[in-house]
Every structure is written in structure tokens, then in C-alpha cells.
Amino acid sequence: MNSRRSAREQDVLALLSGGDRRSVGQAHRVAKMVLGQPALFPRLIQGMWNEDSVVRMRAADVAEKVSLKKPELLRPFKAELLGLLAEAKQQELRWHLAQIAPRLPLTAAERAQAARILQTYLDDRSSIVKTFAMQALADLATQDPKLLPAAMELLGRLTRTGTPAMKARGRKLLARFMQP
């Protein structure tokens, strides 16, 4: 591999720039790269604070895809990601962080903190953010039985009152909790 290509691959954020928030750009290519070169993962985490909203969104998208297969890569960034979960305003960033949060190696207190933050996501204008927040709350409740009663009550309410996507997700999640 020549040095020009190697240098370009190292700057994953450059590969995530360009276009607008309606497209994923080269996110799938970058996810493959990072899965093959996990040392690039910290650059994705940095990208979630990038001044460019497109780069922030795509960095979060790729980090979500990579962490689905290699959740252990999130471990060193737990504190930063919990902070970002609390402060993020961009809807695309929020829905990817909601997917990432249950994959973090959280203590009981951190899970409770994440659940409180995710509950605020239920007030977001975006139905996608709300739906992923519901999923994340359910995932956290499966990890911590203390969160289960509140999650069940919340899911029940949102299944009755939420958007069509929230109602559908809520029915699915409640059915999962009802299985023996």
C-alpha cells in the first residue's frame, strides 16, 4: 500500500465529510476500515465533537456500526460518551448515541444516569430519536432489573400515546419483556 493511500485512510474524518445530512457518504467504507484497523476508532470518537454537523453525524453512525460488532472499543470513552449523551442537540447524533449507550460498560449508577438522560430524548422533535431512546431504555432495563419497573411503565404509556413508530417499537419491546 502506498503512503498516500495509507495517510488518506488514517484520516477517517476526511472520508466522512462532504455532502449533507441526508446521506451517509462513505460511512460503510469507513466502518469496514475501522473494523479492520481498530486503532482508528478513537478518531471516530473525536469526530462526534467536530464542528461540521455532517462529520459529527457520520462519525456517530460509524462508531455505532463498529461498536455493534466490537463493543469493547467503547470502554476507554465511556465518560466522554455519557457526557455527549447528555449534551448532544443534533438529532442524528442523539439517535446514534441512544444506540451506543447500552453497549457501554456502565456501573449501576451510570446506567441510571444514562436512563435519566435517555428519558429526556423522549421529548425530542424527532420520532427516530424517541424510538431509539425507547429501545435504549429497554436495553438498559434488561441489564439492570432495578430499571425494569420504570421502563415497563414508560414503554406501556408510549405504546399507547407515541408516534406510530414508537407504538410499534413499544409493542415489540413489551412483548420481549413478557416472554418467559
Side-chain angles (χ1 to χ4, degrees):
M1 184 183 317
N2 69 39
S3 62
R4 172 179 266 178
R5 180 162 168 81
S6 177
R8 183 156 190 245
E9 285 186 356
Q10 292 301 315
D11 193 0
V12 294
L13 299 185
L15 293 173
L16 296 175
S17 66
D20 61 38
R21 291 172 20 188
R22 293 172 293 175
S23 73
V24 296
Q26 297 188 64
H28 296 291
R29 175 180 170 210
V30 173
K32 277 185 172 179
M33 277 175 39
V34 175
L35 283 167
Q37 300 175 60
L40 298 173
F41 192 76
R43 192 78 174 116
L44 291 177
I45 299 299
Q46 290 172 349
M48 288 192 239
W49 280 269
N50 195 284
E51 63 188 32
D52 182 338
S53 63
V54 171
V55 172
R56 281 194 307 269
M57 172 196 77
R58 291 181 185 156
D61 179 29
V62 174
E64 187 277 318
K65 285 174 174 45
V66 170
S67 69
L68 183 61
K69 295 185 180 193
K70 294 188 176 189
E72 67 277 7
L73 294 175
L74 295 169
R75 182 175 297 278
F77 308 103
K78 176 174 73 167
E80 292 92 336
L81 290 170
L82 280 175
L84 187 57
L85 184 71
E87 70 188 30
K89 300 293 181 224
Q90 181 181 342
Q91 69 182 15
E92 298 91 351
L93 190 56
R94 289 172 71 124
W95 78 55
H96 290 301
L97 287 167
Q99 292 172 285
I100 290 170
R103 298 177 194 153
L104 294 169
L106 302 173
T107 64
E110 290 165 336
R111 265 191 305 278
Q113 174 191 5
R116 283 190 301 276
I117 295 166
L118 288 162
Q119 286 178 13
T120 69
Y121 280 29
L122 297 171
D123 296 325
D124 198 280
R125 292 182 315 184
S126 167
S127 179
I128 299 170
V129 170
K130 292 176 187 179
T131 303
F132 280 125
M134 287 174 66
Q135 179 69 55
L137 287 164
D139 292 345
L140 290 172
T142 62
Q143 297 170 19
D144 189 340
K146 291 179 192 162
L147 300 175
L148 191 56
M152 293 285 289
E153 187 278 323
L154 187 61
L155 291 172
R157 182 169 46 81
L158 294 171
T159 300
R160 292 186 305 277
T161 63
T163 65
M166 293 169 72
K167 289 177 180 180
R169 181 64 56 102
R171 284 190 299 272
K172 219 175 180 180
L173 294 170
L174 288 171
R176 184 178 85 186
F177 284 122
M178 299 301 178
Q179 293 176 351

PDB file of all heavy atoms in Angstrom, residues 9-45:
ATOM      1  N   GLU A   9      -6.344   6.945   4.438  1.00  0.00           N
ATOM      2  CA  GLU A   9      -7.155   6.045   5.248  1.00  0.00           C
ATOM      3  C   GLU A   9      -7.090   6.411   6.725  1.00  0.00           C
ATOM      4  O   GLU A   9      -8.061   6.237   7.445  1.00  0.00           O
ATOM      5  CB  GLU A   9      -6.720   4.596   5.051  1.00  0.00           C
ATOM      6  CG  GLU A   9      -7.176   4.042   3.723  1.00  0.00           C
ATOM      7  CD  GLU A   9      -6.889   2.568   3.576  1.00  0.00           C
ATOM      8  OE1 GLU A   9      -6.266   1.980   4.469  1.00  0.00           O
ATOM      9  OE2 GLU A   9      -7.299   2.025   2.555  1.00  0.00           O
ATOM     10  N   GLN A  10      -5.936   6.928   7.153  1.00  0.00           N
ATOM     11  CA  GLN A  10      -5.793   7.287   8.557  1.00  0.00           C
ATOM     12  C   GLN A  10      -6.714   8.444   8.938  1.00  0.00           C
ATOM     13  O   GLN A  10      -7.128   8.553  10.071  1.00  0.00           O
ATOM     14  CB  GLN A  10      -4.333   7.644   8.874  1.00  0.00           C
ATOM     15  CG  GLN A  10      -3.399   6.462   8.796  1.00  0.00           C
ATOM     16  CD  GLN A  10      -3.777   5.347   9.747  1.00  0.00           C
ATOM     17  OE1 GLN A  10      -4.082   5.577  10.896  1.00  0.00           O
ATOM     18  NE2 GLN A  10      -3.764   4.120   9.264  1.00  0.00           N
ATOM     19  N   ASP A  11      -7.018   9.330   7.985  1.00  0.00           N
ATOM     20  CA  ASP A  11      -7.897  10.445   8.310  1.00  0.00           C
ATOM     21  C   ASP A  11      -9.338  10.073   7.980  1.00  0.00           C
ATOM     22  O   ASP A  11      -9.906  10.512   6.990  1.00  0.00           O
ATOM     23  CB  ASP A  11      -7.465  11.713   7.588  1.00  0.00           C
ATOM     24  CG  ASP A  11      -8.179  12.936   8.162  1.00  0.00           C
ATOM     25  OD1 ASP A  11      -8.992  12.774   9.099  1.00  0.00           O
ATOM     26  OD2 ASP A  11      -7.943  14.030   7.661  1.00  0.00           O
ATOM     27  N   VAL A  12      -9.904   9.255   8.841  1.00  0.00           N
ATOM     28  CA  VAL A  12     -11.261   8.783   8.604  1.00  0.00           C
ATOM     29  C   VAL A  12     -12.265   9.933   8.596  1.00  0.00           C
ATOM     30  O   VAL A  12     -13.279   9.862   7.901  1.00  0.00           O
ATOM     31  CB  VAL A  12     -11.687   7.700   9.627  1.00  0.00           C
ATOM     32  CG1 VAL A  12     -10.864   6.443   9.443  1.00  0.00           C
ATOM     33  CG2 VAL A  12     -11.614   8.201  11.045  1.00  0.00           C
ATOM     34  N   LEU A  13     -11.981  10.997   9.316  1.00  0.00           N
ATOM     35  CA  LEU A  13     -12.928  12.111   9.347  1.00  0.00           C
ATOM     36  C   LEU A  13     -13.014  12.810   7.994  1.00  0.00           C
ATOM     37  O   LEU A  13     -14.092  13.265   7.595  1.00  0.00           O
ATOM     38  CB  LEU A  13     -12.573  13.104  10.457  1.00  0.00           C
ATOM     39  CG  LEU A  13     -12.603  12.533  11.875  1.00  0.00           C
ATOM     40  CD1 LEU A  13     -12.360  13.626  12.894  1.00  0.00           C
ATOM     41  CD2 LEU A  13     -13.891  11.790  12.156  1.00  0.00           C
ATOM     42  N   ALA A  14     -11.898  12.852   7.273  1.00  0.00           N
ATOM     43  CA  ALA A  14     -11.939  13.440   5.927  1.00  0.00           C
ATOM     44  C   ALA A  14     -12.837  12.601   5.022  1.00  0.00           C
ATOM     45  O   ALA A  14     -13.572  13.145   4.186  1.00  0.00           O
ATOM     46  CB  ALA A  14     -10.525  13.540   5.343  1.00  0.00           C
ATOM     47  N   LEU A  15     -12.809  11.296   5.204  1.00  0.00           N
ATOM     48  CA  LEU A  15     -13.656  10.417   4.403  1.00  0.00           C
ATOM     49  C   LEU A  15     -15.141  10.574   4.763  1.00  0.00           C
ATOM     50  O   LEU A  15     -16.012  10.212   3.981  1.00  0.00           O
ATOM     51  CB  LEU A  15     -13.246   8.954   4.598  1.00  0.00           C
ATOM     52  CG  LEU A  15     -11.872   8.577   4.056  1.00  0.00           C
ATOM     53  CD1 LEU A  15     -11.512   7.159   4.463  1.00  0.00           C
ATOM     54  CD2 LEU A  15     -11.830   8.734   2.544  1.00  0.00           C
ATOM     55  N   LEU A  16     -15.409  11.101   5.944  1.00  0.00           N
ATOM     56  CA  LEU A  16     -16.787  11.263   6.384  1.00  0.00           C
ATOM     57  C   LEU A  16     -17.359  12.645   6.057  1.00  0.00           C
ATOM     58  O   LEU A  16     -18.533  12.899   6.310  1.00  0.00           O
ATOM     59  CB  LEU A  16     -16.886  11.008   7.898  1.00  0.00           C
ATOM     60  CG  LEU A  16     -16.542   9.587   8.334  1.00  0.00           C
ATOM     61  CD1 LEU A  16     -16.559   9.483   9.854  1.00  0.00           C
ATOM     62  CD2 LEU A  16     -17.482   8.579   7.705  1.00  0.00           C
ATOM     63  N   SER A  17     -16.538  13.507   5.511  1.00  0.00           N
ATOM     64  CA  SER A  17     -17.007  14.873   5.236  1.00  0.00           C
ATOM     65  C   SER A  17     -17.640  14.963   3.855  1.00  0.00           C
ATOM     66  O   SER A  17     -17.550  14.046   3.043  1.00  0.00           O
ATOM     67  CB  SER A  17     -15.842  15.864   5.353  1.00  0.00           C
ATOM     68  OG  SER A  17     -14.901  15.609   4.337  1.00  0.00           O
ATOM     69  N   GLY A  18     -18.305  16.072   3.628  1.00  0.00           N
ATOM     70  CA  GLY A  18     -18.904  16.344   2.324  1.00  0.00           C
ATOM     71  C   GLY A  18     -20.347  15.913   2.237  1.00  0.00           C
ATOM     72  O   GLY A  18     -20.814  15.067   2.990  1.00  0.00           O
ATOM     73  N   GLY A  19     -21.053  16.528   1.334  1.00  0.00           N
ATOM     74  CA  GLY A  19     -22.462  16.201   1.167  1.00  0.00           C
ATOM     75  C   GLY A  19     -23.292  16.824   2.267  1.00  0.00           C
ATOM     76  O   GLY A  19     -22.896  17.793   2.901  1.00  0.00           O
ATOM     77  N   ASP A  20     -24.467  16.246   2.487  1.00  0.00           N
ATOM     78  CA  ASP A  20     -25.332  16.786   3.524  1.00  0.00           C
ATOM     79  C   ASP A  20     -25.832  15.670   4.434  1.00  0.00           C
ATOM     80  O   ASP A  20     -25.502  14.500   4.245  1.00  0.00           O
ATOM     81  CB  ASP A  20     -26.506  17.572   2.921  1.00  0.00           C
ATOM     82  CG  ASP A  20     -27.408  16.732   2.039  1.00  0.00           C
ATOM     83  OD1 ASP A  20     -27.645  15.554   2.376  1.00  0.00           O
ATOM     84  OD2 ASP A  20     -27.891  17.253   1.034  1.00  0.00           O
ATOM     85  N   ARG A  21     -26.629  16.046   5.426  1.00  0.00           N
ATOM     86  CA  ARG A  21     -27.065  15.106   6.453  1.00  0.00           C
ATOM     87  C   ARG A  21     -28.091  14.095   5.950  1.00  0.00           C
ATOM     88  O   ARG A  21     -28.454  13.192   6.684  1.00  0.00           O
ATOM     89  CB  ARG A  21     -27.604  15.880   7.659  1.00  0.00           C
ATOM     90  CG  ARG A  21     -26.484  16.596   8.364  1.00  0.00           C
ATOM     91  CD  ARG A  21     -26.827  17.544   9.462  1.00  0.00           C
ATOM     92  NE  ARG A  21     -28.112  17.444  10.098  1.00  0.00           N
ATOM     93  CZ  ARG A  21     -28.554  18.327  10.971  1.00  0.00           C
ATOM     94  NH1 ARG A  21     -27.816  19.368  11.294  1.00  0.00           N
ATOM     95  NH2 ARG A  21     -29.736  18.186  11.519  1.00  0.00           N
ATOM     96  N   ARG A  22     -28.522  14.220   4.713  1.00  0.00           N
ATOM     97  CA  ARG A  22     -29.473  13.245   4.173  1.00  0.00           C
ATOM     98  C   ARG A  22     -28.780  12.010   3.615  1.00  0.00           C
ATOM     99  O   ARG A  22     -29.444  11.071   3.197  1.00  0.00           O
ATOM    100  CB  ARG A  22     -30.349  13.890   3.100  1.00  0.00           C
ATOM    101  CG  ARG A  22     -31.287  14.949   3.670  1.00  0.00           C
ATOM    102  CD  ARG A  22     -31.971  15.689   2.573  1.00  0.00           C
ATOM    103  NE  ARG A  22     -30.936  16.451   1.862  1.00  0.00           N
ATOM    104  CZ  ARG A  22     -31.133  17.155   0.780  1.00  0.00           C
ATOM    105  NH1 ARG A  22     -32.328  17.203   0.237  1.00  0.00           N
ATOM    106  NH2 ARG A  22     -30.149  17.820   0.208  1.00  0.00           N
ATOM    107  N   SER A  23     -27.453  12.011   3.576  1.00  0.00           N
ATOM    108  CA  SER A  23     -26.733  10.852   3.039  1.00  0.00           C
ATOM    109  C   SER A  23     -25.711  10.347   4.050  1.00  0.00           C
ATOM    110  O   SER A  23     -25.280  11.089   4.925  1.00  0.00           O
ATOM    111  CB  SER A  23     -26.018  11.231   1.732  1.00  0.00           C
ATOM    112  OG  SER A  23     -24.896  12.036   2.010  1.00  0.00           O
ATOM    113  N   VAL A  24     -25.342   9.096   3.886  1.00  0.00           N
ATOM    114  CA  VAL A  24     -24.344   8.502   4.787  1.00  0.00           C
ATOM    115  C   VAL A  24     -22.934   8.629   4.228  1.00  0.00           C
ATOM    116  O   VAL A  24     -21.967   8.270   4.900  1.00  0.00           O
ATOM    117  CB  VAL A  24     -24.662   7.024   5.114  1.00  0.00           C
ATOM    118  CG1 VAL A  24     -25.960   6.915   5.877  1.00  0.00           C
ATOM    119  CG2 VAL A  24     -24.670   6.175   3.869  1.00  0.00           C
ATOM    120  N   GLY A  25     -22.817   9.142   3.026  1.00  0.00           N
ATOM    121  CA  GLY A  25     -21.496   9.309   2.428  1.00  0.00           C
ATOM    122  C   GLY A  25     -20.738   7.997   2.385  1.00  0.00           C
ATOM    123  O   GLY A  25     -21.271   6.977   1.957  1.00  0.00           O
ATOM    124  N   GLN A  26     -19.502   8.017   2.863  1.00  0.00           N
ATOM    125  CA  GLN A  26     -18.647   6.829   2.848  1.00  0.00           C
ATOM    126  C   GLN A  26     -18.648   6.096   4.194  1.00  0.00           C
ATOM    127  O   GLN A  26     -17.704   5.384   4.518  1.00  0.00           O
ATOM    128  CB  GLN A  26     -17.226   7.233   2.470  1.00  0.00           C
ATOM    129  CG  GLN A  26     -17.128   7.822   1.066  1.00  0.00           C
ATOM    130  CD  GLN A  26     -15.685   8.035   0.663  1.00  0.00           C
ATOM    131  OE1 GLN A  26     -14.924   7.078   0.544  1.00  0.00           O
ATOM    132  NE2 GLN A  26     -15.311   9.285   0.461  1.00  0.00           N
ATOM    133  N   ALA A  27     -19.724   6.250   4.951  1.00  0.00           N
ATOM    134  CA  ALA A  27     -19.774   5.665   6.295  1.00  0.00           C
ATOM    135  C   ALA A  27     -19.561   4.150   6.280  1.00  0.00           C
ATOM    136  O   ALA A  27     -18.850   3.617   7.136  1.00  0.00           O
ATOM    137  CB  ALA A  27     -21.098   6.012   6.977  1.00  0.00           C
ATOM    138  N   HIS A  28     -20.151   3.452   5.320  1.00  0.00           N
ATOM    139  CA  HIS A  28     -19.987   1.987   5.274  1.00  0.00           C
ATOM    140  C   HIS A  28     -18.530   1.605   5.000  1.00  0.00           C
ATOM    141  O   HIS A  28     -18.007   0.671   5.616  1.00  0.00           O
ATOM    142  CB  HIS A  28     -20.918   1.371   4.232  1.00  0.00           C
ATOM    143  CG  HIS A  28     -22.367   1.561   4.561  1.00  0.00           C
ATOM    144  ND1 HIS A  28     -22.977   0.933   5.620  1.00  0.00           N
ATOM    145  CD2 HIS A  28     -23.321   2.330   3.996  1.00  0.00           C
ATOM    146  CE1 HIS A  28     -24.241   1.294   5.688  1.00  0.00           C
ATOM    147  NE2 HIS A  28     -24.479   2.162   4.715  1.00  0.00           N
ATOM    148  N   ARG A  29     -17.895   2.331   4.106  1.00  0.00           N
ATOM    149  CA  ARG A  29     -16.475   2.078   3.802  1.00  0.00           C
ATOM    150  C   ARG A  29     -15.615   2.329   5.034  1.00  0.00           C
ATOM    151  O   ARG A  29     -14.721   1.540   5.363  1.00  0.00           O
ATOM    152  CB  ARG A  29     -16.043   2.980   2.652  1.00  0.00           C
ATOM    153  CG  ARG A  29     -14.572   2.878   2.346  1.00  0.00           C
ATOM    154  CD  ARG A  29     -14.166   3.784   1.208  1.00  0.00           C
ATOM    155  NE  ARG A  29     -12.721   3.828   1.112  1.00  0.00           N
ATOM    156  CZ  ARG A  29     -12.038   4.854   0.673  1.00  0.00           C
ATOM    157  NH1 ARG A  29     -12.657   5.926   0.227  1.00  0.00           N
ATOM    158  NH2 ARG A  29     -10.733   4.821   0.635  1.00  0.00           N
ATOM    159  N   VAL A  30     -15.884   3.436   5.732  1.00  0.00           N
ATOM    160  CA  VAL A  30     -15.107   3.771   6.921  1.00  0.00           C
ATOM    161  C   VAL A  30     -15.345   2.737   8.019  1.00  0.00           C
ATOM    162  O   VAL A  30     -14.410   2.338   8.721  1.00  0.00           O
ATOM    163  CB  VAL A  30     -15.415   5.208   7.398  1.00  0.00           C
ATOM    164  CG1 VAL A  30     -14.752   5.504   8.734  1.00  0.00           C
ATOM    165  CG2 VAL A  30     -14.970   6.228   6.339  1.00  0.00           C
ATOM    166  N   ALA A  31     -16.567   2.253   8.158  1.00  0.00           N
ATOM    167  CA  ALA A  31     -16.846   1.225   9.169  1.00  0.00           C
ATOM    168  C   ALA A  31     -16.011  -0.021   8.902  1.00  0.00           C
ATOM    169  O   ALA A  31     -15.423  -0.594   9.829  1.00  0.00           O
ATOM    170  CB  ALA A  31     -18.340   0.888   9.182  1.00  0.00           C
ATOM    171  N   LYS A  32     -15.934  -0.441   7.643  1.00  0.00           N
ATOM    172  CA  LYS A  32     -15.096  -1.603   7.296  1.00  0.00           C
ATOM    173  C   LYS A  32     -13.634  -1.336   7.641  1.00  0.00           C
ATOM    174  O   LYS A  32     -12.936  -2.205   8.161  1.00  0.00           O
ATOM    175  CB  LYS A  32     -15.210  -1.911   5.802  1.00  0.00           C
ATOM    176  CG  LYS A  32     -16.404  -2.723   5.434  1.00  0.00           C
ATOM    177  CD  LYS A  32     -16.332  -3.067   3.943  1.00  0.00           C
ATOM    178  CE  LYS A  32     -17.403  -4.044   3.564  1.00  0.00           C
ATOM    179  NZ  LYS A  32     -17.371  -4.366   2.139  1.00  0.00           N
ATOM    180  N   MET A  33     -13.160  -0.133   7.306  1.00  0.00           N
ATOM    181  CA  MET A  33     -11.775   0.228   7.609  1.00  0.00           C
ATOM    182  C   MET A  33     -11.500   0.128   9.103  1.00  0.00           C
ATOM    183  O   MET A  33     -10.491  -0.436   9.528  1.00  0.00           O
ATOM    184  CB  MET A  33     -11.474   1.672   7.154  1.00  0.00           C
ATOM    185  CG  MET A  33     -11.124   1.827   5.717  1.00  0.00           C
ATOM    186  SD  MET A  33     -10.914   3.577   5.234  1.00  0.00           S
ATOM    187  CE  MET A  33     -10.101   4.309   6.622  1.00  0.00           C
ATOM    188  N   VAL A  34     -12.399   0.713   9.911  1.00  0.00           N
ATOM    189  CA  VAL A  34     -12.185   0.756  11.356  1.00  0.00           C
ATOM    190  C   VAL A  34     -12.297  -0.636  11.964  1.00  0.00           C
ATOM    191  O   VAL A  34     -11.544  -0.972  12.879  1.00  0.00           O
ATOM    192  CB  VAL A  34     -13.140   1.768  12.024  1.00  0.00           C
ATOM    193  CG1 VAL A  34     -13.001   1.737  13.536  1.00  0.00           C
ATOM    194  CG2 VAL A  34     -12.869   3.180  11.490  1.00  0.00           C
ATOM    195  N   LEU A  35     -13.196  -1.450  11.449  1.00  0.00           N
ATOM    196  CA  LEU A  35     -13.268  -2.827  11.943  1.00  0.00           C
ATOM    197  C   LEU A  35     -11.970  -3.572  11.659  1.00  0.00           C
ATOM    198  O   LEU A  35     -11.529  -4.385  12.472  1.00  0.00           O
ATOM    199  CB  LEU A  35     -14.458  -3.565  11.318  1.00  0.00           C
ATOM    200  CG  LEU A  35     -15.808  -3.217  11.919  1.00  0.00           C
ATOM    201  CD1 LEU A  35     -16.947  -3.742  11.053  1.00  0.00           C
ATOM    202  CD2 LEU A  35     -15.923  -3.741  13.348  1.00  0.00           C
ATOM    203  N   GLY A  36     -11.333  -3.264  10.536  1.00  0.00           N
ATOM    204  CA  GLY A  36     -10.053  -3.885  10.195  1.00  0.00           C
ATOM    205  C   GLY A  36      -8.868  -3.241  10.889  1.00  0.00           C
ATOM    206  O   GLY A  36      -7.822  -3.869  11.047  1.00  0.00           O
ATOM    207  N   GLN A  37      -9.033  -1.983  11.299  1.00  0.00           N
ATOM    208  CA  GLN A  37      -7.958  -1.238  11.968  1.00  0.00           C
ATOM    209  C   GLN A  37      -8.538  -0.532  13.195  1.00  0.00           C
ATOM    210  O   GLN A  37      -8.766   0.676  13.171  1.00  0.00           O
ATOM    211  CB  GLN A  37      -7.364  -0.192  11.030  1.00  0.00           C
ATOM    212  CG  GLN A  37      -6.759  -0.739   9.755  1.00  0.00           C
ATOM    213  CD  GLN A  37      -6.321   0.394   8.845  1.00  0.00           C
ATOM    214  OE1 GLN A  37      -5.484   1.215   9.220  1.00  0.00           O
ATOM    215  NE2 GLN A  37      -6.879   0.455   7.646  1.00  0.00           N
ATOM    216  N   PRO A  38      -8.813  -1.268  14.278  1.00  0.00           N
ATOM    217  CA  PRO A  38      -9.456  -0.669  15.452  1.00  0.00           C
ATOM    218  C   PRO A  38      -8.713   0.535  16.039  1.00  0.00           C
ATOM    219  O   PRO A  38      -9.314   1.338  16.749  1.00  0.00           O
ATOM    220  CB  PRO A  38      -9.516  -1.819  16.458  1.00  0.00           C
ATOM    221  CG  PRO A  38      -9.470  -3.050  15.620  1.00  0.00           C
ATOM    222  CD  PRO A  38      -8.616  -2.698  14.430  1.00  0.00           C
ATOM    223  N   ALA A  39      -7.438   0.676  15.726  1.00  0.00           N
ATOM    224  CA  ALA A  39      -6.689   1.844  16.217  1.00  0.00           C
ATOM    225  C   ALA A  39      -7.269   3.151  15.673  1.00  0.00           C
ATOM    226  O   ALA A  39      -6.999   4.229  16.209  1.00  0.00           O
ATOM    227  CB  ALA A  39      -5.213   1.725  15.840  1.00  0.00           C
ATOM    228  N   LEU A  40      -8.091   3.069  14.617  1.00  0.00           N
ATOM    229  CA  LEU A  40      -8.735   4.263  14.055  1.00  0.00           C
ATOM    230  C   LEU A  40      -9.973   4.680  14.847  1.00  0.00           C
ATOM    231  O   LEU A  40     -10.482   5.786  14.659  1.00  0.00           O
ATOM    232  CB  LEU A  40      -9.141   4.022  12.592  1.00  0.00           C
ATOM    233  CG  LEU A  40      -8.019   3.735  11.606  1.00  0.00           C
ATOM    234  CD1 LEU A  40      -8.592   3.346  10.244  1.00  0.00           C
ATOM    235  CD2 LEU A  40      -7.110   4.949  11.485  1.00  0.00           C
ATOM    236  N   PHE A  41     -10.463   3.814  15.727  1.00  0.00           N
ATOM    237  CA  PHE A  41     -11.704   4.100  16.447  1.00  0.00           C
ATOM    238  C   PHE A  41     -11.673   5.402  17.246  1.00  0.00           C
ATOM    239  O   PHE A  41     -12.657   6.157  17.221  1.00  0.00           O
ATOM    240  CB  PHE A  41     -12.087   2.915  17.343  1.00  0.00           C
ATOM    241  CG  PHE A  41     -13.473   2.999  17.902  1.00  0.00           C
ATOM    242  CD1 PHE A  41     -14.576   2.734  17.106  1.00  0.00           C
ATOM    243  CD2 PHE A  41     -13.684   3.359  19.230  1.00  0.00           C
ATOM    244  CE1 PHE A  41     -15.857   2.808  17.610  1.00  0.00           C
ATOM    245  CE2 PHE A  41     -14.962   3.433  19.744  1.00  0.00           C
ATOM    246  CZ  PHE A  41     -16.056   3.157  18.934  1.00  0.00           C
ATOM    247  N   PRO A  42     -10.584   5.722  17.957  1.00  0.00           N
ATOM    248  CA  PRO A  42     -10.565   6.988  18.703  1.00  0.00           C
ATOM    249  C   PRO A  42     -10.828   8.215  17.824  1.00  0.00           C
ATOM    250  O   PRO A  42     -11.412   9.201  18.278  1.00  0.00           O
ATOM    251  CB  PRO A  42      -9.150   7.039  19.304  1.00  0.00           C
ATOM    252  CG  PRO A  42      -8.758   5.601  19.413  1.00  0.00           C
ATOM    253  CD  PRO A  42      -9.370   4.931  18.208  1.00  0.00           C
ATOM    254  N   ARG A  43     -10.418   8.144  16.570  1.00  0.00           N
ATOM    255  CA  ARG A  43     -10.657   9.271  15.654  1.00  0.00           C
ATOM    256  C   ARG A  43     -12.158   9.460  15.423  1.00  0.00           C
ATOM    257  O   ARG A  43     -12.640  10.581  15.294  1.00  0.00           O
ATOM    258  CB  ARG A  43      -9.916   8.998  14.338  1.00  0.00           C
ATOM    259  CG  ARG A  43      -9.855  10.180  13.448  1.00  0.00           C
ATOM    260  CD  ARG A  43      -8.774  11.166  13.918  1.00  0.00           C
ATOM    261  NE  ARG A  43      -8.680  12.209  12.925  1.00  0.00           N
ATOM    262  CZ  ARG A  43      -8.969  13.485  13.160  1.00  0.00           C
ATOM    263  NH1 ARG A  43      -9.323  13.890  14.361  1.00  0.00           N
ATOM    264  NH2 ARG A  43      -8.884  14.375  12.206  1.00  0.00           N
ATOM    265  N   LEU A  44     -12.914   8.362  15.371  1.00  0.00           N
ATOM    266  CA  LEU A  44     -14.375   8.462  15.238  1.00  0.00           C
ATOM    267  C   LEU A  44     -14.979   9.158  16.451  1.00  0.00           C
ATOM    268  O   LEU A  44     -15.874   9.986  16.315  1.00  0.00           O
ATOM    269  CB  LEU A  44     -15.008   7.076  15.120  1.00  0.00           C
ATOM    270  CG  LEU A  44     -14.749   6.289  13.857  1.00  0.00           C
ATOM    271  CD1 LEU A  44     -15.408   4.925  13.967  1.00  0.00           C
ATOM    272  CD2 LEU A  44     -15.248   7.040  12.643  1.00  0.00           C
ATOM    273  N   ILE A  45     -14.488   8.772  17.619  1.00  0.00           N
ATOM    274  CA  ILE A  45     -14.999   9.386  18.848  1.00  0.00           C
ATOM    275  C   ILE A  45     -14.736  10.891  18.810  1.00  0.00           C
ATOM    276  O   ILE A  45     -15.622  11.687  19.087  1.00  0.00           O
ATOM    277  CB  ILE A  45     -14.363   8.732  20.097  1.00  0.00           C
ATOM    278  CG1 ILE A  45     -14.699   7.239  20.151  1.00  0.00           C
ATOM    279  CG2 ILE A  45     -14.809   9.450  21.363  1.00  0.00           C
ATOM    280  CD1 ILE A  45     -16.175   6.893  20.237  1.00  0.00           C
TER     281      ILE A  45
END
